[in-house]
C-alpha cells in the first residue's frame, strides 16, 4: 500500500525543479497533489508528466489574493489539506556590489515572505497530523 494513499498535498513551485520531483513522488506514493506555479505552460507540462491525481493551480505565492484563491480551490475540490510543501523560490543571483533594493525585495518576497504567508493561508485546511515543510 502506498505510504501517502488518500493524502491531499499542495506543492508550491510544483511545476519545475525540486517541487516537480516532490509532486511526482507524492503521486507515486498515492497522494492527490495540487501543484502551484506562475507559468500556465509549465504547469500544463508538469501535469502531463505527472499523470493522474494532480491538479494545477496558476498563481503567484507573493500575492495574498492568489493565495486565498489557491486554497479556496483546494477546499472546493478536496475539502482539506494534509501536506504542504513550500518549494517556490527565486534564484536570480547578484553580487553584493551589484544587488539592488528591488532585487533584494523580489528575492525576499518569494523565498521568505511567501513561504510564511502560504503556511498561514493553508492552516484553516490543515487538521491534526498535517505536515508542513
Amino acid at each position: 500500500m502506498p505510504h501517502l494513499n488518500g493524502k491531499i498535498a499542495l506543492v508550491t513551485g510544483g511545476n519545475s525543479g525540486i517541487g516537480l520531483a516532490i509532486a511526482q513522488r507524492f503521486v507515486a506514493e498515492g497522494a492527490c497533489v495540487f501543484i502551484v506555479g506562475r507559468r500556465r505552460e509549465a504547469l500544463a507540462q508538469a501535469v502531463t508528466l505527472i499523470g493522474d491525481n494532480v491538479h494545477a493551480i496558476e498563481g503567484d505565492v507573493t500575492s495574498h489574493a492568489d493565495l486565498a484563491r489557491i486554497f479556496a480551490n483546494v477546499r472546493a475540490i478536496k475539502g482539506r489539506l494534509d501536506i504542504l510543501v513550500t518549494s517556490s523560490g527565486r534564484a536570480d543571483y547578484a553580487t553584493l556590489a551589484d544587488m539592488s533594493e528591488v532585487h533584494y525585495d523580489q528575492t525576499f518576497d518569494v523565498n521568505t515572505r511567501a513561504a510564511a504567508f502560504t503556511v498561514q493561508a493553508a492552516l484553516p485546511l490543515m487538521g491534526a497530523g498535517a505536515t508542513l515543510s
Side-chain angles (χ1 to χ4, degrees):
M1 173 192 252
H3 177 68
L4 298 177
N5 196 31
K7 299 291 185 181
I8 311 302
L10 184 138
V11 181
T12 67
N15 59 316
S16 65
I18 293 169
L20 176 58
I22 291 168
Q24 289 175 296
R25 180 60 186 254
F26 282 3
V27 168
E29 291 288 334
C32 174
V33 178
F34 291 85
I35 58 172
V36 176
R38 292 180 295 117
R39 299 180 320 255
R40 180 174 294 156
E41 298 80 21
L43 284 167
Q45 290 172 353
V47 167
T48 299
L49 182 64
I50 295 169
D52 296 333
N53 231 8
V54 63
H55 302 272
I57 304 174
E58 185 179 353
D60 181 346
V61 294
T62 66
S63 163
H64 287 281
D66 280 10
L67 287 173
R69 182 180 47 76
I70 288 162
F71 290 105
N73 280 326
V74 173
R75 181 182 300 281
I77 295 169
K78 289 294 183 179
R80 73 175 203 281
L81 186 62
D82 301 305
I83 302 165
L84 173 65
V85 178
T86 58
S87 183
S88 294
R90 176 184 165 106
D92 184 17
Y93 301 104
T95 66
L96 191 56
D98 295 331
M99 180 177 58
S100 69
E101 285 185 58
V102 170
H103 177 264
Y104 179 87
D105 289 343
Q106 289 172 341
T107 301
F108 189 83
D109 279 353
V110 174
N111 294 352
T112 305
R113 187 176 173 272
F117 286 110
T118 299
V119 170
Q120 183 184 58
L123 288 175
L125 288 173
M126 303 185 83
T131 303
L132 301 167
S133 70

